[in-house]
Amino acid sequence: MRRFIVIGRKASASEEFLLDDLPGTSGRLDILLRCVRAALLTSHGLRRDAMIYLVLLGGPRAPRVLRIRGDAAKFIRPDERALATLAKKTLASRADEEAQGFVEIKTGIAIARGGLEEVLADAAGATLFLLDEGGCDLRTVEPLAADAQADVAFFVGDHHGFDPATRARLDAAGARAVSIGPVPVHADDVVAIVSNELDRRAARQSVVTRDL
Ligand SMILES: C[S@@+](CC[C@H](N)C(=O)[O-])C[C@H]1O[C@@H](n2cnc3c(N)ncnc32)[C@H](O)[C@@H]1O
């Protein structure tokens, strides 16, 4: 499973944002929603081996985490407005208020009260990576298994990057800092490039396995 976790330092944990002014009213939830498209969608379908967590640390109901699983979710559309509508409906639920951990609101789509700790608990056992342009080159990271059985989790910052406490917690959890190149790029581009790197590795691994 490929897991992408985007930390939205101001992103709205409540449904109180305007679809007509997403960047201006949602604490830049639009950045996180573009990551959903990059993590889960191929040109003609859903990646069944990928999931994404949006850590929502802004607004009155924070902290909350919205999780979408590619192996279960249906009708995930690529346009930002449709994704924002899905997020709005999911965040309007109060089902997580009394619950522990993730509560499924719709097939493949769940929310949890909490933040990074909820994600780390849910991704227990995964190999953790923190995306940072100062980290070591992802292309040189070996071994980085990319097959469907490998459990890897990539943490990405929003437009503000990671706060020191999140960085320290991920460091303590054993996350390795990796870079996709020397130039800082947008979060959704990072997710797309990591996905591409994993796709290429998976293709190479399947050739090796086939030739054995
Ligand atoms: C737009 S950047 C954040 C920029 C922010 N000003 C900062 O200083 O972190 C969003 C996130 O994308 C990731 N990122 C951007 N460029 C990267 C690169 N070249 N390699 C690895 N991760 C990168 C990092 O996780 C970063 O926090």
Side-chain angles (χ1 to χ4, degrees), residues 131-133 155-162 178-187 190:
L131 269 304
D132 180 73
E133 64 256 34
F155 291 81
V156 185
D158 64 1
H159 57 306
H160 295 301
F162 296 103
V178 289
S179 158
I180 47 100
V183 177
V185 296
H186 290 290
V190 175

PDB file of all heavy atoms in Angstrom, residues 131-133 155-162 178-187 190, ligand 1:
ATOM      1  N   LEU A 131       8.853  13.973   3.047  1.00  0.00           N
ATOM      2  CA  LEU A 131       9.293  14.635   1.817  1.00  0.00           C
ATOM      3  C   LEU A 131       9.861  16.001   2.151  1.00  0.00           C
ATOM      4  O   LEU A 131       9.169  16.829   2.757  1.00  0.00           O
ATOM      5  CB  LEU A 131       8.115  14.771   0.857  1.00  0.00           C
ATOM      6  CG  LEU A 131       7.886  13.639  -0.162  1.00  0.00           C
ATOM      7  CD1 LEU A 131       9.126  13.398  -1.001  1.00  0.00           C
ATOM      8  CD2 LEU A 131       7.454  12.369   0.489  1.00  0.00           C
ATOM      9  N   ASP A 132      11.106  16.200   1.748  1.00  0.00           N
ATOM     10  CA  ASP A 132      11.793  17.443   2.080  1.00  0.00           C
ATOM     11  C   ASP A 132      12.895  17.658   1.047  1.00  0.00           C
ATOM     12  O   ASP A 132      13.655  16.716   0.767  1.00  0.00           O
ATOM     13  CB  ASP A 132      12.406  17.293   3.479  1.00  0.00           C
ATOM     14  CG  ASP A 132      13.137  18.530   3.897  1.00  0.00           C
ATOM     15  OD1 ASP A 132      12.475  19.527   4.210  1.00  0.00           O
ATOM     16  OD2 ASP A 132      14.378  18.511   3.911  1.00  0.00           O
ATOM     17  N   GLU A 133      12.941  18.848   0.483  1.00  0.00           N
ATOM     18  CA  GLU A 133      13.921  19.023  -0.594  1.00  0.00           C
ATOM     19  C   GLU A 133      15.367  18.892  -0.115  1.00  0.00           C
ATOM     20  O   GLU A 133      16.270  18.671  -0.909  1.00  0.00           O
ATOM     21  CB  GLU A 133      13.715  20.332  -1.365  1.00  0.00           C
ATOM     22  CG  GLU A 133      13.903  21.583  -0.574  1.00  0.00           C
ATOM     23  CD  GLU A 133      12.571  22.246  -0.211  1.00  0.00           C
ATOM     24  OE1 GLU A 133      11.574  21.528   0.026  1.00  0.00           O
ATOM     25  OE2 GLU A 133      12.568  23.483  -0.152  1.00  0.00           O
ATOM     26  N   PHE A 155       4.996  11.531   3.933  1.00  0.00           N
ATOM     27  CA  PHE A 155       4.424  12.730   4.552  1.00  0.00           C
ATOM     28  C   PHE A 155       4.829  13.963   3.753  1.00  0.00           C
ATOM     29  O   PHE A 155       6.012  14.142   3.437  1.00  0.00           O
ATOM     30  CB  PHE A 155       4.896  12.872   6.001  1.00  0.00           C
ATOM     31  CG  PHE A 155       4.329  11.807   6.901  1.00  0.00           C
ATOM     32  CD1 PHE A 155       4.900  10.540   6.952  1.00  0.00           C
ATOM     33  CD2 PHE A 155       3.199  12.063   7.670  1.00  0.00           C
ATOM     34  CE1 PHE A 155       4.365   9.543   7.758  1.00  0.00           C
ATOM     35  CE2 PHE A 155       2.662  11.080   8.484  1.00  0.00           C
ATOM     36  CZ  PHE A 155       3.237   9.812   8.532  1.00  0.00           C
ATOM     37  N   VAL A 156       3.837  14.788   3.449  1.00  0.00           N
ATOM     38  CA  VAL A 156       4.062  15.979   2.621  1.00  0.00           C
ATOM     39  C   VAL A 156       3.522  17.200   3.372  1.00  0.00           C
ATOM     40  O   VAL A 156       2.451  17.124   3.996  1.00  0.00           O
ATOM     41  CB  VAL A 156       3.308  15.834   1.272  1.00  0.00           C
ATOM     42  CG1 VAL A 156       3.632  17.010   0.353  1.00  0.00           C
ATOM     43  CG2 VAL A 156       3.638  14.518   0.596  1.00  0.00           C
ATOM     44  N   GLY A 157       4.235  18.314   3.282  1.00  0.00           N
ATOM     45  CA  GLY A 157       3.760  19.548   3.909  1.00  0.00           C
ATOM     46  C   GLY A 157       2.833  20.318   2.978  1.00  0.00           C
ATOM     47  O   GLY A 157       2.722  20.005   1.793  1.00  0.00           O
ATOM     48  N   ASP A 158       2.164  21.321   3.520  1.00  0.00           N
ATOM     49  CA  ASP A 158       1.342  22.199   2.664  1.00  0.00           C
ATOM     50  C   ASP A 158       2.198  23.414   2.275  1.00  0.00           C
ATOM     51  O   ASP A 158       3.437  23.352   2.334  1.00  0.00           O
ATOM     52  CB  ASP A 158       0.029  22.591   3.356  1.00  0.00           C
ATOM     53  CG  ASP A 158       0.258  23.427   4.615  1.00  0.00           C
ATOM     54  OD1 ASP A 158       1.434  23.721   4.950  1.00  0.00           O
ATOM     55  OD2 ASP A 158      -0.728  23.793   5.260  1.00  0.00           O
ATOM     56  N   HIS A 159       1.570  24.528   1.922  1.00  0.00           N
ATOM     57  CA  HIS A 159       2.338  25.705   1.486  1.00  0.00           C
ATOM     58  C   HIS A 159       3.191  26.297   2.602  1.00  0.00           C
ATOM     59  O   HIS A 159       4.109  27.063   2.348  1.00  0.00           O
ATOM     60  CB  HIS A 159       1.401  26.768   0.903  1.00  0.00           C
ATOM     61  CG  HIS A 159       0.318  27.200   1.847  1.00  0.00           C
ATOM     62  ND1 HIS A 159      -0.542  26.318   2.460  1.00  0.00           N
ATOM     63  CD2 HIS A 159      -0.034  28.424   2.299  1.00  0.00           C
ATOM     64  CE1 HIS A 159      -1.375  26.979   3.233  1.00  0.00           C
ATOM     65  NE2 HIS A 159      -1.085  28.254   3.158  1.00  0.00           N
ATOM     66  N   HIS A 160       2.878  25.931   3.871  1.00  0.00           N
ATOM     67  CA  HIS A 160       3.701  26.413   4.992  1.00  0.00           C
ATOM     68  C   HIS A 160       4.813  25.424   5.352  1.00  0.00           C
ATOM     69  O   HIS A 160       5.612  25.692   6.240  1.00  0.00           O
ATOM     70  CB  HIS A 160       2.837  26.619   6.242  1.00  0.00           C
ATOM     71  CG  HIS A 160       1.811  27.708   6.090  1.00  0.00           C
ATOM     72  ND1 HIS A 160       2.157  29.006   5.797  1.00  0.00           N
ATOM     73  CD2 HIS A 160       0.458  27.696   6.190  1.00  0.00           C
ATOM     74  CE1 HIS A 160       1.061  29.745   5.721  1.00  0.00           C
ATOM     75  NE2 HIS A 160       0.014  28.973   5.943  1.00  0.00           N
ATOM     76  N   GLY A 161       4.832  24.253   4.723  1.00  0.00           N
ATOM     77  CA  GLY A 161       5.810  23.234   5.115  1.00  0.00           C
ATOM     78  C   GLY A 161       5.447  22.621   6.459  1.00  0.00           C
ATOM     79  O   GLY A 161       4.344  22.820   6.978  1.00  0.00           O
ATOM     80  N   PHE A 162       6.356  21.850   7.035  1.00  0.00           N
ATOM     81  CA  PHE A 162       6.104  21.186   8.324  1.00  0.00           C
ATOM     82  C   PHE A 162       6.440  22.123   9.485  1.00  0.00           C
ATOM     83  O   PHE A 162       7.437  22.826   9.428  1.00  0.00           O
ATOM     84  CB  PHE A 162       6.982  19.945   8.468  1.00  0.00           C
ATOM     85  CG  PHE A 162       6.693  18.868   7.469  1.00  0.00           C
ATOM     86  CD1 PHE A 162       7.528  18.658   6.380  1.00  0.00           C
ATOM     87  CD2 PHE A 162       5.584  18.051   7.608  1.00  0.00           C
ATOM     88  CE1 PHE A 162       7.272  17.666   5.452  1.00  0.00           C
ATOM     89  CE2 PHE A 162       5.312  17.058   6.685  1.00  0.00           C
ATOM     90  CZ  PHE A 162       6.155  16.865   5.607  1.00  0.00           C
ATOM     91  N   VAL A 178      13.402  12.411   2.515  1.00  0.00           N
ATOM     92  CA  VAL A 178      13.778  12.155   1.128  1.00  0.00           C
ATOM     93  C   VAL A 178      13.346  13.321   0.253  1.00  0.00           C
ATOM     94  O   VAL A 178      12.350  13.990   0.526  1.00  0.00           O
ATOM     95  CB  VAL A 178      13.170  10.836   0.582  1.00  0.00           C
ATOM     96  CG1 VAL A 178      13.829   9.625   1.204  1.00  0.00           C
ATOM     97  CG2 VAL A 178      11.665  10.799   0.766  1.00  0.00           C
ATOM     98  N   SER A 179      14.107  13.514  -0.828  1.00  0.00           N
ATOM     99  CA  SER A 179      13.846  14.611  -1.758  1.00  0.00           C
ATOM    100  C   SER A 179      13.503  14.037  -3.128  1.00  0.00           C
ATOM    101  O   SER A 179      14.017  12.990  -3.509  1.00  0.00           O
ATOM    102  CB  SER A 179      15.116  15.459  -1.829  1.00  0.00           C
ATOM    103  OG  SER A 179      15.144  16.193  -3.021  1.00  0.00           O
ATOM    104  N   ILE A 180      12.634  14.774  -3.859  1.00  0.00           N
ATOM    105  CA  ILE A 180      12.369  14.339  -5.233  1.00  0.00           C
ATOM    106  C   ILE A 180      13.164  15.202  -6.215  1.00  0.00           C
ATOM    107  O   ILE A 180      13.021  15.059  -7.426  1.00  0.00           O
ATOM    108  CB  ILE A 180      10.854  14.345  -5.577  1.00  0.00           C
ATOM    109  CG1 ILE A 180      10.167  15.633  -5.133  1.00  0.00           C
ATOM    110  CG2 ILE A 180      10.154  13.179  -4.930  1.00  0.00           C
ATOM    111  CD1 ILE A 180       9.952  16.619  -6.189  1.00  0.00           C
ATOM    112  N   GLY A 181      14.000  16.084  -5.688  1.00  0.00           N
ATOM    113  CA  GLY A 181      14.835  16.925  -6.533  1.00  0.00           C
ATOM    114  C   GLY A 181      15.199  18.190  -5.794  1.00  0.00           C
ATOM    115  O   GLY A 181      14.645  18.474  -4.729  1.00  0.00           O
ATOM    116  N   PRO A 182      16.124  18.962  -6.333  1.00  0.00           N
ATOM    117  CA  PRO A 182      16.657  20.123  -5.604  1.00  0.00           C
ATOM    118  C   PRO A 182      15.721  21.323  -5.567  1.00  0.00           C
ATOM    119  O   PRO A 182      15.932  22.247  -4.797  1.00  0.00           O
ATOM    120  CB  PRO A 182      17.929  20.460  -6.389  1.00  0.00           C
ATOM    121  CG  PRO A 182      17.692  19.931  -7.758  1.00  0.00           C
ATOM    122  CD  PRO A 182      16.792  18.740  -7.621  1.00  0.00           C
ATOM    123  N   VAL A 183      14.686  21.312  -6.412  1.00  0.00           N
ATOM    124  CA  VAL A 183      13.828  22.498  -6.505  1.00  0.00           C
ATOM    125  C   VAL A 183      12.549  22.271  -5.709  1.00  0.00           C
ATOM    126  O   VAL A 183      11.898  21.227  -5.868  1.00  0.00           O
ATOM    127  CB  VAL A 183      13.481  22.777  -7.992  1.00  0.00           C
ATOM    128  CG1 VAL A 183      12.533  23.957  -8.121  1.00  0.00           C
ATOM    129  CG2 VAL A 183      14.753  23.012  -8.786  1.00  0.00           C
ATOM    130  N   PRO A 184      12.167  23.208  -4.817  1.00  0.00           N
ATOM    131  CA  PRO A 184      10.900  23.055  -4.108  1.00  0.00           C
ATOM    132  C   PRO A 184       9.728  23.184  -5.087  1.00  0.00           C
ATOM    133  O   PRO A 184       9.696  24.134  -5.871  1.00  0.00           O
ATOM    134  CB  PRO A 184      10.886  24.192  -3.087  1.00  0.00           C
ATOM    135  CG  PRO A 184      12.080  25.024  -3.343  1.00  0.00           C
ATOM    136  CD  PRO A 184      12.890  24.431  -4.461  1.00  0.00           C
ATOM    137  N   VAL A 185       8.819  22.229  -5.049  1.00  0.00           N
ATOM    138  CA  VAL A 185       7.667  22.265  -5.961  1.00  0.00           C
ATOM    139  C   VAL A 185       6.378  22.150  -5.147  1.00  0.00           C
ATOM    140  O   VAL A 185       6.408  21.952  -3.930  1.00  0.00           O
ATOM    141  CB  VAL A 185       7.754  21.143  -7.026  1.00  0.00           C
ATOM    142  CG1 VAL A 185       8.974  21.349  -7.922  1.00  0.00           C
ATOM    143  CG2 VAL A 185       7.781  19.764  -6.392  1.00  0.00           C
ATOM    144  N   HIS A 186       5.244  22.256  -5.835  1.00  0.00           N
ATOM    145  CA  HIS A 186       3.963  22.186  -5.136  1.00  0.00           C
ATOM    146  C   HIS A 186       3.700  20.775  -4.614  1.00  0.00           C
ATOM    147  O   HIS A 186       4.156  19.782  -5.210  1.00  0.00           O
ATOM    148  CB  HIS A 186       2.833  22.622  -6.060  1.00  0.00           C
ATOM    149  CG  HIS A 186       2.875  24.089  -6.366  1.00  0.00           C
ATOM    150  ND1 HIS A 186       2.584  25.050  -5.429  1.00  0.00           N
ATOM    151  CD2 HIS A 186       3.214  24.762  -7.483  1.00  0.00           C
ATOM    152  CE1 HIS A 186       2.719  26.246  -5.965  1.00  0.00           C
ATOM    153  NE2 HIS A 186       3.104  26.098  -7.216  1.00  0.00           N
ATOM    154  N   ALA A 187       2.922  20.726  -3.526  1.00  0.00           N
ATOM    155  CA  ALA A 187       2.692  19.450  -2.843  1.00  0.00           C
ATOM    156  C   ALA A 187       2.117  18.386  -3.785  1.00  0.00           C
ATOM    157  O   ALA A 187       2.547  17.224  -3.757  1.00  0.00           O
ATOM    158  CB  ALA A 187       1.762  19.680  -1.652  1.00  0.00           C
ATOM    159  N   VAL A 190       4.713  16.917  -5.926  1.00  0.00           N
ATOM    160  CA  VAL A 190       5.543  15.977  -5.166  1.00  0.00           C
ATOM    161  C   VAL A 190       4.868  14.606  -5.150  1.00  0.00           C
ATOM    162  O   VAL A 190       5.509  13.574  -5.410  1.00  0.00           O
ATOM    163  CB  VAL A 190       5.759  16.479  -3.719  1.00  0.00           C
ATOM    164  CG1 VAL A 190       6.518  15.454  -2.901  1.00  0.00           C
ATOM    165  CG2 VAL A 190       6.488  17.803  -3.707  1.00  0.00           C
TER     166      VAL A 190
HETATM  167  C1  LIG B   1       5.177  23.953  -1.464  1.00  0.00           C
HETATM  168  S1  LIG B   1       6.150  22.962  -0.446  1.00  0.00           S
HETATM  169  C2  LIG B   1       6.295  23.880   1.049  1.00  0.00           C
HETATM  170  C3  LIG B   1       7.142  25.023   0.965  1.00  0.00           C
HETATM  171  C4  LIG B   1       7.341  25.665   2.313  1.00  0.00           C
HETATM  172  N1  LIG B   1       7.574  27.038   2.084  1.00  0.00           N
HETATM  173  C5  LIG B   1       8.475  25.011   3.067  1.00  0.00           C
HETATM  174  O1  LIG B   1       9.427  25.725   3.390  1.00  0.00           O
HETATM  175  O2  LIG B   1       8.431  23.824   3.367  1.00  0.00           O
HETATM  176  C6  LIG B   1       5.073  21.738   0.115  1.00  0.00           C
HETATM  177  C7  LIG B   1       5.724  20.475   0.562  1.00  0.00           C
HETATM  178  O3  LIG B   1       6.125  19.756  -0.573  1.00  0.00           O
HETATM  179  C8  LIG B   1       7.253  18.950  -0.264  1.00  0.00           C
HETATM  180  N2  LIG B   1       8.290  19.297  -1.224  1.00  0.00           N
HETATM  181  C9  LIG B   1       8.350  20.364  -2.059  1.00  0.00           C
HETATM  182  N3  LIG B   1       9.416  20.287  -2.852  1.00  0.00           N
HETATM  183  C10 LIG B   1      10.051  19.133  -2.546  1.00  0.00           C
HETATM  184  C11 LIG B   1      11.227  18.489  -3.043  1.00  0.00           C
HETATM  185  N4  LIG B   1      11.956  19.000  -4.007  1.00  0.00           N
HETATM  186  N5  LIG B   1      11.568  17.295  -2.490  1.00  0.00           N
HETATM  187  C12 LIG B   1      10.818  16.746  -1.496  1.00  0.00           C
HETATM  188  N6  LIG B   1       9.694  17.319  -1.008  1.00  0.00           N
HETATM  189  C13 LIG B   1       9.333  18.493  -1.511  1.00  0.00           C
HETATM  190  C14 LIG B   1       7.603  19.195   1.183  1.00  0.00           C
HETATM  191  O4  LIG B   1       6.995  18.186   1.974  1.00  0.00           O
HETATM  192  C15 LIG B   1       6.952  20.554   1.422  1.00  0.00           C
HETATM  193  O5  LIG B   1       6.640  20.735   2.777  1.00  0.00           O
END
